[in-house]
Amino acid sequence: MTSQDAETHHRTIKKRLSRALTLPIVLLSVVLLSSTVPQGVESFVVWRIGVAAEDAGGSAMRAFAALQHERDLSVREGIPTAELGAARVTSDRTTTELVRTLDSLTDYAPEPIAVKTEQLKKQLAELPQRRLLSQGRLNRRATVEYFNATIDTGIDLFDTQSRLAHDIQVTQDGITATELLRASDLMRRAAMLGGSAVDSGRFEAGEHHAFAEQVFTYRSRIGSESAHAAPEVQRQYRALTASPAWQRLTAVEDRLVADGATGSHAFPPEQQRAWHDDVTTVGRDLNELALAQSDHAITLGMTQAYSKFVWTILVVLVALAAVALCWWYSWRNIGLAEQVLQRLARLRDAVRHRTHDLLPPILARAREGKEVDVDDELGKLDFGRDEIGEVADAMEVSQRATIDATIKEAGTHAAFRSAIAAIASGQQTLIQQAIVLIDAAEHDEQDPAKLRRLLQVDSTVTRLRRKIENLRVLAGDRPGRRWRDPVPLSKLVQSAIGETEHYTRINVRAVPPVAVKGPAVTDTIRVLAELMDNATRFSPPTSPVLVRVDRTTGDRVLVEIEDRGLGMPAADRERINETLSAPPDFTANSVQDDVRLGMVVVSRLAQRRGIEVALHPGEGSGIRASVVLPADLITSPAQPRQGADRQGVESTVRIRRKPRRTSTSVEPESTGGLPQRRRGTTLARLTSSTAADDPEPPSDEPRRSGSAAFMNQIQRARSQQEGRS
């Protein structure tokens, strides 16, 4: 199941119904609002920009006219200082008013308009410094270029504003107004060049060509743009071209163009003054022409924006009403569906009551082999004959099939465990007979080579007996070997080592002088033997396995078994630790899925005796297994009792023979009461000798400490296996 399926699986029906009813409404609301609200906001912004632009139109025209006039006076010779100062005062007043108007426009303007506005304000702020540098011919030319650039920036601002309009007609009217304004400024630039020739009688180098080009450009642009202007603007244009000032101005321009660059352009003073007056008059009329066209475009845009804004508000109100109606209808249907949900909730509670309250006792009695009447104890799920009733009937059939399968499975599991226990018990009897035969063969064998082979067979049979006992543990049975009296922990460790295949690689540090209570001896040996066997099997053949035994707080005993193997991934280690803390049920599935049955055995035995077992990373690359024996299993070592009753100590019959010593055989020396490997005493006897009360035959060699004697025994066994005496 994917994460998406899991999420869908855990949703309630009420949430699904609510989502199914509300999601289309939400989408409809989003679509309506997303399509109308932005248009309304945009219309409002356009309307506000139009209001600000209408206020800025007059300010801009006055500022541009003042800048044009100051530009003309800045390049003319012999202009009185008072006249130039008055023009500068007018420029400062009009530009300040324009900057104030642009600041109000910036609050609503889009980014392109805001960028152009900031650029224009920055250029206007440079006007005082530019005036200081206007002395001299070259500086005058730079001053003219500054004024031209500033006016061009202002015209570009209005052009950008016109092109951002969302109506084609408004955009076209705005572009026409901008082009008329460009033509008006171009006429004033041509008049500066012509006025210089009129005043001085000649053109400077290159000025005549520029003058002729500018005259032709502004006339053609005014003529073409006026054809697309508003009717009122067209009437103003016709009146302008018919005015005397226009006629005189164009006549002088034609004469200057016709005379050429080298011709004499001497005009009397009266005609010079008339020329400049005509330039001022025509320039003002052209600016008013552009302003009228701009007002027409702004008024048209504001009217359309306001209409669109009002229409958008109406559409939004209608959309909100439709959404509100849809929400009301949706919640009404959800209320009707609440009845269905309540019936489903009752069905859910009934199924849960069956599952958690009624079924467990029935299944428990079925596992015990008792008769159960499922129909009488569970009853019937009756929820009508509609779709919910059909679901209840399907649940009834499904649950009944599950109950029947569980009852059959419980019987199958019980039969499976019984069969495993019976097979293991029969195999254990055969192995015990083999141990007796091996015991007798070791007793009678004098050849060291053959004795070594018998010891190898002895070790293999001992480990096989451990495997058979593991099956009995998994099947829920108890091993045959049992102890009654406490057994020293050192002997338990030695017995566990004796049941491993590579026992010669296991090194044991000093074991504290404590004993394990008799009922827990077998289980403790099984736990330690399984962990030691794993440590030797999953580590290099030549590496040692270290066993440390220490007492901890609370009179507990800690046994650590550490190998030098390759270790295991953290995920596998965590999984095994979970198995050790909670053993799974021994079924056919667990046998197939978990191949590490030894850990299952350890987990069961540890859980039965309260022993804590866990795997940890070793100091090197291996694994460290920790076994914590609880305080209730630990006691002081018991003193050996002479002639004590051994009934019930061990189910295995022990054959006691006094070994025959020969000069050709090598016998392990006495270990001071610890389990020993003797001729005629198998490893099986080594593990169970802790339960015997008969004293061992006296040894001629001095008694040694338990650890030293056991290590000596391991070394001798290794020598015998390798063929050394």
Side-chain angles (χ1 to χ4, degrees):
M1 179 182 295
T2 62
S3 59
Q4 183 178 2
D5 295 336
E7 181 182 0
T8 304
H9 177 72
H10 290 289
R11 294 175 187 162
T12 62
I13 296 179
K14 184 176 182 180
K15 290 182 179 179
R16 294 184 186 182
L17 290 175
S18 301
R19 183 167 300 182
L21 293 173
T22 58
L23 184 59
I25 302 176
V26 172
L27 294 178
L28 177 62
S29 305
V30 171
V31 171
L32 290 177
L33 296 179
S34 62
S35 60
T36 55
V37 172
Q39 294 181 2
V41 174
E42 181 181 344
S43 302
F44 176 76
V45 171
V46 172
W47 177 69
R48 288 296 303 170
I49 292 176
V51 173
E54 186 178 21
D55 297 336
S59 300
M61 287 302 175
R62 289 189 292 270
F64 291 162
L67 292 174
Q68 289 171 347
H69 183 58
E70 182 180 351
R71 177 185 60 185
D72 296 343
L73 296 179
S74 298
V75 299
R76 290 176 59 185
E77 298 289 344
I79 297 300
T81 306
E83 184 178 357
L84 181 59
R88 289 178 175 178
V89 171
T90 303
S91 298
D92 291 338
R93 185 184 69 254
T94 56
T95 54
T96 302
E97 181 184 358
L98 176 61
V99 169
R100 189 184 309 112
T101 305
L102 293 176
D103 289 336
S104 63
L105 179 65
T106 307
D107 297 336
Y108 303 95
E111 183 178 359
I113 297 179
V115 172
K116 292 290 185 180
T117 302
E118 291 298 326
Q119 184 178 357
L120 177 60
K121 291 165 59 178
K122 182 178 179 181
Q123 290 177 336
L124 292 176
E126 298 177 0
L127 182 58
Q129 290 80 8
R130 294 288 183 174
R131 288 169 178 169
L132 297 176
L133 302 175
S134 62
Q135 301 299 325
R137 182 173 298 275
L138 295 179
N139 292 334
R140 288 180 181 179
R141 180 175 297 178
T143 302
V144 170
E145 292 178 355
Y146 161 73
F147 279 105
N148 292 341
T150 303
I151 295 173
D152 287 340
T153 301
I155 296 175
D156 290 341
L157 171 61
F158 284 100
D159 183 71
T160 303
Q161 178 182 348
S162 301
R163 296 181 185 276
L164 290 178
H166 296 275
D167 184 79
I168 298 178
Q169 187 60 43
V170 174
T171 301
Q172 184 62 42
D173 290 344
I175 293 175
T176 300
T178 303
E179 293 300 322
L180 290 175
L181 186 58
R182 291 185 192 275
S184 175
D185 185 65
L186 192 59
M187 188 278 297
R188 298 296 292 263
R189 295 183 188 184
M192 282 193 302
L193 299 177
S196 177
V198 169
D199 294 338
S200 63
R202 60 185 177 84
F203 283 102
E204 296 291 337
E207 289 184 352
H208 182 271
H209 177 73
F211 172 76
E213 183 180 3
Q214 291 175 358
V215 168
F216 174 78
T217 302
Y218 92 79
R219 289 182 182 180
S220 61
R221 183 171 295 179
I222 291 177
S224 62
E225 294 299 332
S226 61
H228 304 290
E232 180 63 26
V233 176
Q234 293 180 5
R235 286 193 295 270
Q236 292 181 8
Y237 171 71
R238 289 192 294 269
L240 172 64
T241 56
S243 64
W246 176 268
Q247 297 295 331
R248 291 191 297 268
L249 176 66
T250 56
V252 174
E253 289 175 345
D254 293 339
R255 175 183 172 184
L256 293 175
V257 173
D259 290 344
T262 59
S264 176
H265 309 293
F267 288 86
E270 295 80 5
Q271 195 171 1
Q272 293 178 4
R273 287 192 298 271
W275 158 265
H276 291 293
D277 293 340
D278 292 339
V279 168
T280 302
T281 302
V282 172
R284 183 182 62 252
D285 292 341
L286 287 177
N287 287 341
E288 291 178 356
L289 198 69
L291 180 60
Q293 178 64 27
S294 177
D295 291 340
H296 171 75
I298 291 174
T299 303
L300 179 62
M302 290 177 57
T303 303
Q304 293 184 356
Y306 183 76
S307 301
K308 186 176 181 181
F309 176 71
V310 173
W311 174 253
T312 303
I313 294 298
L314 294 177
V315 172
V316 170
L317 293 177
V318 173
L320 291 177
V323 170
L325 181 62
C326 293
W327 278 109
W328 172 81
Y329 183 75
S330 173
W331 285 111
R332 182 174 179 273
N333 288 335
I334 292 177
L336 295 176
E338 190 69 27
Q339 301 177 3
V340 177
L341 298 179
Q342 292 176 358
R343 293 180 60 194
L344 291 175
R346 291 196 299 271
L347 176 59
R348 176 200 61 200
D349 296 338
V351 173
R352 286 181 177 177
H353 175 64
R354 274 190 165 197
T355 304
H356 299 295
D357 299 333
L358 301 179
L359 282 180
I362 296 176
L363 297 179
R365 291 197 303 272
R367 292 189 182 97
E368 295 174 359
K370 299 180 180 178
E371 294 291 336
V372 293
D373 189 351
V374 179
D375 295 333
D376 182 62
E377 297 188 27
L378 290 183
K380 183 176 179 58
L381 295 175
D382 187 6
F383 283 85
R385 307 315 307 165
D386 57 1
E387 289 81 358
I388 297 180
E390 293 176 357
V391 172
D393 295 339
M395 288 184 177
E396 182 87 32
V397 174
S398 175
Q399 203 169 53
R400 182 56 185 269
T402 303
I403 295 172
D404 294 340
T406 303
I407 294 175
K408 293 180 181 179
E409 184 180 3
T412 303
H413 288 176
F416 175 73
R417 288 192 296 269
S418 299
I420 292 296
I423 294 173
S425 178
Q427 297 296 325
Q428 192 173 14
T429 302
L430 296 178
I431 290 175
Q432 188 60 44
Q433 295 176 3
I435 289 174
V436 174
L437 296 176
I438 294 172
D439 191 354
E442 288 182 355
H443 179 271
D444 297 333
E445 186 59 53
Q446 303 298 325
D447 186 357
K450 295 182 179 180
L451 182 59
R452 284 195 300 271
R453 296 191 186 94
L454 288 175
L455 290 175
Q456 294 175 355
V457 176
D458 180 6
S459 176
T460 302
V461 173
T462 302
R463 287 184 283 111
L464 182 58
R465 183 182 65 177
R466 176 167 58 86
K467 299 295 184 181
I468 295 299
E469 289 182 351
N470 288 347
L471 286 179
R472 298 187 64 178
V473 171
L474 292 174
D477 199 3
R478 292 180 178 271
R481 295 181 294 161
R482 294 183 297 276
W483 274 262
R484 182 184 60 192
D485 297 329
V487 177
L489 181 59
S490 59
K491 293 187 178 182
L492 266 68
V493 173
Q494 296 169 18
S495 299
I497 294 174
E499 295 193 10
T500 61
E501 179 180 3
H502 305 286
Y503 58 89
T504 56
R505 292 167 45 200
I506 302 177
N507 298 328
V508 184
R509 293 185 178 179
V511 181
V514 296
V516 177
K517 295 181 180 179
V521 169
T522 301
D523 295 343
T524 305
I525 292 175
R526 293 273 69 74
V527 170
L528 297 178
E530 288 294 335
L531 296 176
M532 291 178 184
D533 189 59
N534 282 343
T536 56
R537 286 191 297 111
F538 294 103
S539 60
T542 59
S543 63
V545 174
L546 180 61
V547 179
R548 293 185 294 266
V549 185
D550 297 305
R551 303 195 68 169
T552 61
T553 58
D555 293 333
R556 299 189 302 172
V557 175
L558 172 64
V559 181
E560 293 183 325
I561 304 168
E562 185 173 358
D563 59 58
R564 295 294 184 267
L566 298 178
M568 65 175 61
D572 294 344
R573 189 173 64 253
E574 291 298 329
R575 182 174 60 85
I576 293 178
N577 284 332
E578 292 178 359
T579 301
L580 292 174
S581 61
D585 189 18
F586 183 64
T587 62
N589 292 332
S590 65
V591 172
Q592 295 174 2
D593 297 338
D594 192 358
V595 296
R596 302 193 181 189
L597 294 179
M599 290 301 174
V600 180
V601 173
V602 171
S603 177
R604 287 203 168 191
L605 296 177
Q607 186 185 49
R608 186 162 61 190
R609 298 300 178 184
I611 301 174
E612 300 177 8
V613 184
L615 301 183
H616 311 279
E619 296 181 359
S621 60
I623 292 294
R624 174 172 54 86
S626 62
V627 180
V628 180
L629 303 179
D632 56 355
L633 299 184
I634 305 302
T635 185
S636 300
Q639 299 296 330
R641 298 178 300 164
Q642 298 293 336
D645 183 14
R646 296 181 309 189
Q647 182 179 1
V649 172
E650 185 180 5
S651 62
T652 304
V653 178
R654 178 186 173 99
I655 300 178
R656 300 288 303 199
R657 295 185 178 88
K658 184 176 181 180
R660 293 180 290 180
R661 300 180 181 271
T662 64
S663 59
T664 60
S665 63
V666 179
E667 299 291 344
E669 61 185 41
S670 172
T671 61
L674 298 178
Q676 308 174 46
R677 292 300 308 272
R678 302 172 181 270
R679 187 189 309 277
T681 303
T682 63
L683 283 175
R685 297 297 176 266
L686 179 65
T687 59
S688 60
S689 62
T690 57
D693 297 324
D694 291 345
E696 297 291 343
S699 174
D700 297 333
E701 298 181 12
R703 297 177 63 86
R704 303 187 181 187
S705 64
S707 299
F710 185 70
M711 291 303 298
N712 189 15
Q713 173 191 351
I714 296 300
Q715 293 295 335
R716 287 178 177 273
R718 181 186 293 114
S719 299
Q720 292 178 4
Q721 289 184 357
E722 295 176 355
R724 298 191 299 268
S725 61

